Every structure is written in structure tokens, then in C-alpha cells.
Amino acid sequence: METRFYVVDSIDGDYAHLRRTDIDSEDLKLVARALLPVEIMVGSKLRYEMMQYEIEE
């Protein structure tokens, strides 16, 4: 499974809008916040790997 990188573009209640940063794309992915680390905020960088999101340091 490939690794993907995202940045939190916005947070809307129980959902976050993620933008991929490892490819050139303007599309946003809507993800339930329950699937994301609790401490995310707008601008947080995330790594998606093995069906889990983790904050990038």
C-alpha cells in the first residue's frame, strides 16, 4: 500500500478537508475527524499509511 501525504485545509464540525501534498492536485478529501489524530488543526501535515493517519513532525 502506498504512502500518501496530506495537509488539513479546513475543519468543518466532525469532518476535515484534506489536500494531498505529494501530487499536484487541488481536490479535497472529506474525512471524518474520528479517523484522524485528535490533535489535528488547520495546517497540520498528515501521513496516510496502512489505513491510518498520523501527524508528520
Side-chain angles (χ1 to χ4, degrees):
M1 180 169 273
E2 77 180 71
T3 302
R4 297 178 181 178
F5 295 92
Y6 295 93
V7 65
V8 178
D9 194 67
S10 64
I11 296 175
D12 186 18
D14 291 335
Y15 295 91
H17 298 269
L18 307 182
R19 182 174 35 85
R20 278 190 75 176
T21 58
D22 57 327
I23 62 170
D24 189 23
S25 175
E26 292 298 318
D27 296 332
L28 296 177
K29 180 176 183 176
L30 185 64
V31 178
R33 289 185 64 191
L35 300 174
L36 301 170
V38 176
E39 60 273 6
I40 67 158
M41 62 182 82
V42 173
S44 293
K45 295 179 182 178
L46 303 172
R47 179 178 65 238
Y48 178 75
E49 188 173 51
M50 306 271 299
M51 298 182 69
Q52 291 186 336
Y53 292 92
E54 296 179 354
I55 291 182
E56 283 285 292
E57 299 296 325

